[in-house]
Amino acid sequence: MSELFDAVDALVASRATLPPPAERKRLRTAHGLTIDEVASTLKVRRATVSGWESGKTEPRPPERDAYARLLDKLAELYPATPAPAAETAPAPDAPVPATFTGAVPAPAEPQPTEPISSAGVVSEPVKPQVPAADLVDAPAAAPRPASTSTTRPSTSRRPGTRKAAAANTPAGGTDPRFENGPLAVVDVEDGKVVAYGVGGLVLDVPAKSLPSLVEWTLAEAKLGQPKLSGPGRPADPLLVLTEAACGRYGLPSHLTAQERDAGRIPEDHKVIKQLTRADWKLTKRGFGPWARIYRPAKGSERQCVQLCIPSWNALDPRFWDNAAQLPPAELTRVLGTFATRVMTPRGSTAVTGLELMTALHPPTHAVRDEETGALRQAATKTPGSLGSDPVDCAPPEAPDGHPVLNALDLPRFHVRGPSEKLFEEAYDWARPMTDAECTLRFLVGLDVNMAFGAGANGLTVGLGEPTHVMNPVFDPKLPGSWLVDLSHVDLSHVKVGKEWVELDGSLLPSPFTPKGDRPTGPAWYATPTVAYAVELGYDVTPTEAYVRYDNGRYLDGWYTRLRDAYLATMADLGVHADMEPADFLAAMDGYKDRDPELGIVITAIKATIKGGIGKLRERPRGEGWRPGERWRALERPTWRPDIRAAVISRTRINLHRKIVKHAAVTGQYPIAVLSDCVVYAANGPSPLDVVPYRDGKPLPGGFKLGVNPGLVKHEGTQTVLWGEEVREKFDAPDLNLARSIKDGTVTDADNGE
């Protein structure tokens, strides 16, 4: 009888009801699942799941029953939202609560604004005026997002909370909670407080005090941004206060020297007392340039507003150019475009870069309680995320002063070498020019687009704790840190593709050290560096490793969103992905001058990439810290120096791979490399005099001109005579000319003095 029952169950399962193909995809993406994860769970091919979601094929037993069960569970968590009926605008005094459905119960603790150097993507070489760029091994013809130029705000104003200028469309999307966009710039005009929103929106603000401004923002302003990931939460509304608005609400227009050092105004300030009396709270960072004002969440309702105060240096000119000096309407356009294409800023560009990672991979998600039917926070982390708890790094990955080093009982003032510490940093290498190169006329600098961000694309990184292994067999697919001797790798005889080639190794930087020196013994390396030694044709035998078996492509979505933002903004500036090399060079000439506001957005996007990677290894920021003690950043799940090291390793290796292929075909060798910039001697001043094209096609695997991540643009050109004079002046035959190739300006600091 049981066999008959099993047969009946199988027959029913073979006809399990499935939602339409589009709904299947919606449910999967709503939970943040990838096609690969579904395919792996159901033990089918990736293409099979794609076929189910496109409607080309239908699942068959026994997978059909399991697939239907998965979709049923997801449908409980993410029910389909019916199309909203047309609604009548409420009266101005009718509060509209801002709610969210995410699983995060309390406001996230923001990180302070900090310079890129302390963020640390490139901890030693910092290339002036040249923010870090993009991916080196990205496809040459990445799809370009459609241009979405932001309309300049109009000056029309109408009382109320949701009235946009007639010729513009609110940028908040279809979510009625955020129909007025992600942010507003608050200013005072003719004695009245107004808020400039994106898309030409201008609101009258009735609030007379800062607590009432916060109340108005949450109840009536309809500001915010939909969540970027299924398990995530919407972004809090952002208010940008001008100097006039600061004065109206009792805040100083500028911070004193003592307040700047503290990063906040005193806790006994009258405005903070007003907030306290109104039951509003501040995060541990206090009331600084990026302040967060909140009340503890009740259920799914979140009450939190973020303030940005440009006159307090919230918009650092190194990363936001002159944005802080723009009029309110223009500043709204800059910040609104950035928020729409990247995310609502959460602090400095470094902080925003890190927060974008978390927003795309939230650590927790909601599940429905089988007994009560209520939603609750899941006990396990969201698949593909870093989780909610911090993870200690391996000893070689730890920066000096980290408490994990206490167990090693190192002598006082001991300086760890390569065999004790992981040194994965960006290039800072140069060499003297050869006699043949001195006969050429020009030095041409090439800069890789979005090198560090795109270096993260497709990179498998660790998601969990490291596992210590002795005498491991190297696995290029396993992220980790490896102690291995690579001193036997000879760059004079390497594999390029499937063929061995002979090169002048003395004219090439080593791919294994930031300074380009050949290793002299065992050292710690990230997986991409060791994998490149194998690619060059050499055996590797690690003696020790810290590997991470829990891993994934955590940064893919982060890179994709930043890439799309970069390409869309560049397209608005007249630089497109499908341009011929000569047209591309012409379009890049003064491209920021065509629309200075969008030029600021480009600068901020690049800084977000570089700063976000650097923030993964944030160092102590005062607060009485002493070596061996924990510091605030260590309590974040996103404090992951191993991920930072892997990204920098891959970025450096990608650039070296192109340098080797270029040398193998053209016989040209770089004279200087700094971070993502490489300098060649050439007969002409144009990058076309360096980058070889045959029948209109670039060298496969080598440098290619274009706006896409991983392709190169013109960094600058100087004469060979200039280079020799500069090196002679500073008595430095190996002075890194890439540092000043852009404008030819060389200072004592560039020479390390």
Side-chain angles (χ1 to χ4, degrees), residues 25-99:
K25 182 176 181 180
R26 185 193 72 81
L27 292 171
R28 174 180 60 78
T29 56
H31 199 59
L33 299 177
T34 65
I35 292 180
D36 289 326
E37 288 173 329
V38 175
S40 175
T41 301
L42 299 179
K43 295 181 172 54
V44 297
R45 296 185 302 115
R46 187 182 192 279
T48 302
V49 178
S50 296
W52 297 345
E53 292 188 354
S54 65
K56 295 180 179 179
T57 60
E58 286 293 314
R60 298 179 179 178
E63 291 84 7
R64 185 182 181 93
D65 186 33
Y67 189 47
R69 182 179 179 84
L70 170 65
L71 296 177
D72 287 343
K73 293 288 186 182
L74 295 179
E76 293 178 4
L77 296 176
Y78 310 101
T81 303
E87 59 179 2
T88 303
D93 59 349
V96 183
T99 61

Side-chain angles (χ1 to χ4, degrees), residues 452-533:
F452 292 99
N457 184 35
L459 177 65
T460 301
V461 300
L463 302 178
E465 297 180 349
T467 300
H468 190 204
V469 183
M470 297 300 296
N471 300 314
V473 176
F474 176 68
D475 182 354
K477 296 182 180 179
L478 187 60
S481 301
W482 310 78
L483 181 62
V484 58
D485 189 349
L486 300 180
S487 60
H488 63 292
V489 178
D490 184 3
L491 296 181
S492 299
H493 185 64
V494 297
K495 231 178 182 181
V496 178
K498 297 182 179 180
E499 299 181 358
W500 287 89
V501 297
E502 301 293 333
L503 301 172
D504 189 341
S506 65
L507 301 180
L508 289 170
S510 168
F512 309 127
T513 62
K515 292 293 184 180
D517 302 325
R518 186 169 179 171
T520 57
W524 286 96
Y525 302 101
T527 296
T529 302
V530 185
Y532 186 56

Side-chain angles (χ1 to χ4, degrees), residues 392-437:
D392 275 340
C393 61
E397 298 164 351
D400 294 336
H402 192 286
V404 77
L405 301 177
N406 296 342
L408 302 183
D409 196 24
L410 298 173
R412 190 178 184 186
F413 305 122
H414 174 73
V415 178
R416 292 182 293 160
S419 62
E420 301 170 291
K421 181 179 178 180
L422 182 68
F423 287 93
E424 291 287 10
E425 301 294 343
Y427 265 132
D428 186 1
W429 169 88
R431 62 169 176 82
M433 283 186 275
T434 65
D435 292 341
E437 289 167 340

Side-chain angles (χ1 to χ4, degrees), residues 395-657:
E397 298 164 351
D400 294 336
H402 192 286
V404 77
L405 301 177
N406 296 342
L408 302 183
D409 196 24
L410 298 173
R412 190 178 184 186
F413 305 122
H414 174 73
V415 178
R416 292 182 293 160
S419 62
E420 301 170 291
K421 181 179 178 180
L422 182 68
F423 287 93
E424 291 287 10
E425 301 294 343
Y427 265 132
D428 186 1
W429 169 88
R431 62 169 176 82
M433 283 186 275
T434 65
D435 292 341
E437 289 167 340
C438 287
T439 64
L440 302 176
R441 296 180 58 194
F442 297 99
L443 299 175
V444 181
L446 304 176
D447 182 76
V448 182
N449 293 318
M450 293 179 60
F452 292 99
N457 184 35
L459 177 65
T460 301
V461 300
L463 302 178
E465 297 180 349
T467 300
H468 190 204
V469 183
M470 297 300 296
N471 300 314
V473 176
F474 176 68
D475 182 354
K477 296 182 180 179
L478 187 60
S481 301
W482 310 78
L483 181 62
V484 58
D485 189 349
L486 300 180
S487 60
H488 63 292
V489 178
D490 184 3
L491 296 181
S492 299
H493 185 64
V494 297
K495 231 178 182 181
V496 178
K498 297 182 179 180
E499 299 181 358
W500 287 89
V501 297
E502 301 293 333
L503 301 172
D504 189 341
S506 65
L507 301 180
L508 289 170
S510 168
F512 309 127
T513 62
K515 292 293 184 180
D517 302 325
R518 186 169 179 171
T520 57
W524 286 96
Y525 302 101
T527 296
T529 302
V530 185
Y532 186 56
V534 176
E535 179 184 327
L536 292 176
Y538 291 85
D539 294 330
V540 296
T541 308
T543 58
E544 189 178 354
Y546 288 89
V547 297
R548 288 171 168 81
Y549 295 108
D550 179 13
N551 54 65
R553 292 168 56 161
Y554 175 71
L555 296 172
D556 276 10
W558 180 81
Y559 159 76
T560 300
R561 186 161 181 87
L562 289 164
R563 177 203 64 191
D564 291 349
Y566 174 78
L567 291 179
T569 309
M570 289 298 290
D572 289 342
L573 289 166
V575 185
H576 302 279
D578 53 357
M579 303 180 95
E580 293 297 322
D583 295 335
F584 167 71
L585 292 174
M588 286 294 295
D589 187 15
Y591 71 98
K592 288 187 178 181
D593 297 334
R594 297 184 197 120
D595 191 329
E597 293 163 21
L598 291 183
I600 295 174
V601 176
I602 286 293
T603 301
I605 291 172
K606 292 180 178 180
T608 301
I609 296 167
K610 186 175 183 180
I613 295 297
K615 201 75 172 174
L616 292 166
R617 198 193 66 169
E618 184 182 3
R619 302 303 306 277
R621 300 179 57 80
E623 300 177 340
W625 174 83
R626 294 181 179 180
E629 298 176 345
R630 296 187 69 82
W631 59 90
R632 184 189 298 270
L634 298 187
E635 307 310 318
R636 295 194 319 247
T638 49
W639 194 86
R640 293 295 301 272
D642 55 300
I643 296 180
R644 172 190 176 273
V647 172
I648 296 177
S649 165
R650 190 165 185 246
T651 303
R652 191 183 67 246
I653 293 307
N654 286 339
L655 181 57
H656 194 275
R657 183 183 294 112

